[in-house]
Amino acid sequence: MNTLRMTFAALGMSAFSSLALAAGNPLSVHVLNLENGLPSPGIDVTLEKHVGQNWQPLAQGTTNEQGRIAELFPARQPFEAGEYRVVFKTGEYFKKIRHDTFFPEIPVIFEVKQTDQHYHIPLLLSPYGFSTYRGS
């Protein structure tokens, strides 16, 4: 019984410490598959900033088993006001699960006005549609 308590305590501390680390990062994403109600692991996601007429690549990551990337903004880089784009590479995800899709990529463009806030972008995904919003 003591081993079980220690295991749960360790898991709780691990989850808490990863949340604490992510708390300093201003951007996170989460992908849920609406067709089955489950998280979507293994989706590659890129982050870009609008600079002049171009999109400048800033970071990339892959959703974990919970369909999340807790820290998408690059560490040690200032979070500046401006227009950003997160691109979810959904085509490869659907190929892996052997499912057709209409959207091989889903770009989400958003504007950062307050750099002291956290921006969370959830993507609700299905093979032939999607929805997104500003989460918390």
Side-chain angles (χ1 to χ4, degrees), residues 10-32:
L11 287 172
M13 289 175 62
S14 172
F16 180 76
S17 66
S18 64
L19 285 173
L21 288 173
N25 194 285
L27 181 63
S28 58
V29 299
H30 188 198
V31 184
L32 290 172

Side-chain angles (χ1 to χ4, degrees), residues 75-90:
R76 296 180 296 281
Q77 185 167 331
F79 190 46
E80 300 171 338
E83 205 171 81
Y84 291 84
R85 176 169 66 183
V86 173
V87 181
F88 297 89
K89 312 288 185 168
T90 53

Side-chain angles (χ1 to χ4, degrees), residues 20-109:
L21 288 173
N25 194 285
L27 181 63
S28 58
V29 299
H30 188 198
V31 184
L32 290 172
N33 186 331
L34 287 176
E35 188 174 41
N36 59 19
L38 298 173
S40 301
I43 294 182
D44 292 327
V45 180
T46 60
L47 171 64
E48 304 164 326
K49 184 173 187 209
H50 200 211
V51 179
Q53 298 297 318
N54 300 310
W55 290 100
Q56 175 187 5
L58 294 179
Q60 62 184 37
T62 303
T63 57
N64 65 16
E65 290 302 312
Q66 292 82 37
R68 296 178 183 275
I69 301 174
E71 301 180 17
L72 187 56
F73 197 81
R76 296 180 296 281
Q77 185 167 331
F79 190 46
E80 300 171 338
E83 205 171 81
Y84 291 84
R85 176 169 66 183
V86 173
V87 181
F88 297 89
K89 312 288 185 168
T90 53
E92 287 302 314
Y93 165 75
F94 280 112
K95 280 183 192 175
K96 287 179 201 171
I97 64 170
R98 294 184 173 92
H99 208 307
D100 289 336
T101 183
F102 187 66
F103 300 102
E105 288 188 353
I106 298 173
V108 178
I109 299 170

